[in-house]
Amino acid sequence: EVRLVESGGGLVQPGGSLRLTCAASGLPSFEDYVIGWFRQAPGKEEREGVANIRIQDGGTNYRHSVVGRFAISADSVLKMVYLQMDSLKPEDTAIYFCAAEPVKVYRWDEEYEYDHWGQGTQVTVSS
């Protein structure tokens, strides 16, 4: 059974940093997956793509609004994916989810591309 567990969320002041972790288990071959981070802002129904990483070659994509502030990385031995978030802004407040899809995705920032999801971790940016 595929299981994704997010951690590392919390309350942080504007300008602060957090590192989110997605721990993956049950994936037949971790290296064959694409892992994405999505977020769902308060009052919004849809989740928006924040970043993703292709485990095999480390290729990444980022949402425009997080470029230069967020960085996604992966540890194939531990089967974990990280999202380092710096210079956080109030508009980054959301529930953050990690998602996994084998082999490839065509639209990296679309929810429907990913079959497996975690339960999410809350990130609140407020003074």
Side-chain angles (χ1 to χ4, degrees):
E1 178 187 0
V2 175
R3 189 163 183 241
L4 304 173
V5 179
E6 303 93 336
S7 62
L11 173 63
V12 63
Q13 292 187 343
S17 298
L18 284 174
R19 189 176 83 152
L20 305 184
T21 298
C22 173
S25 61
L27 300 179
S29 177
F30 184 71
E31 291 75 17
D32 291 338
Y33 275 75
V34 176
I35 307 293
W37 281 100
F38 285 75
R39 65 188 181 188
Q40 184 175 19
K44 297 282 186 70
E45 290 190 5
E46 292 183 350
R47 289 181 280 202
E48 61 184 26
V50 177
N52 88 333
I53 186 167
R54 192 167 51 241
I55 302 299
Q56 187 173 55
D57 62 6
T60 59
N61 292 285
Y62 291 93
R63 184 175 194 83
H64 179 73
S65 63
V66 307
V67 171
R69 300 189 298 123
F70 291 11
I72 189 170
S73 60
D75 186 321
S76 294
V77 175
L78 296 178
K79 297 185 180 180
M80 290 190 177
V81 174
Y82 307 100
L83 185 67
Q84 177 66 41
M85 306 188 296
D86 299 321
S87 302
L88 282 161
K89 304 176 181 180
E91 50 264 43
D92 295 318
T93 295
I95 302 172
Y96 283 71
F97 300 86
C98 68
E101 178 65 19
V103 184
K104 69 188 296 184
V105 297
Y106 294 93
R107 292 292 305 273
W108 75 268
D109 56 349
E110 293 286 354
E111 292 182 66
Y112 63 75
E113 292 277 7
Y114 299 82
D115 280 343
H116 308 290
W117 290 81
Q119 292 302 305
T121 185
Q122 176 70 48
V123 171
T124 302
V125 185
S126 175
S127 55

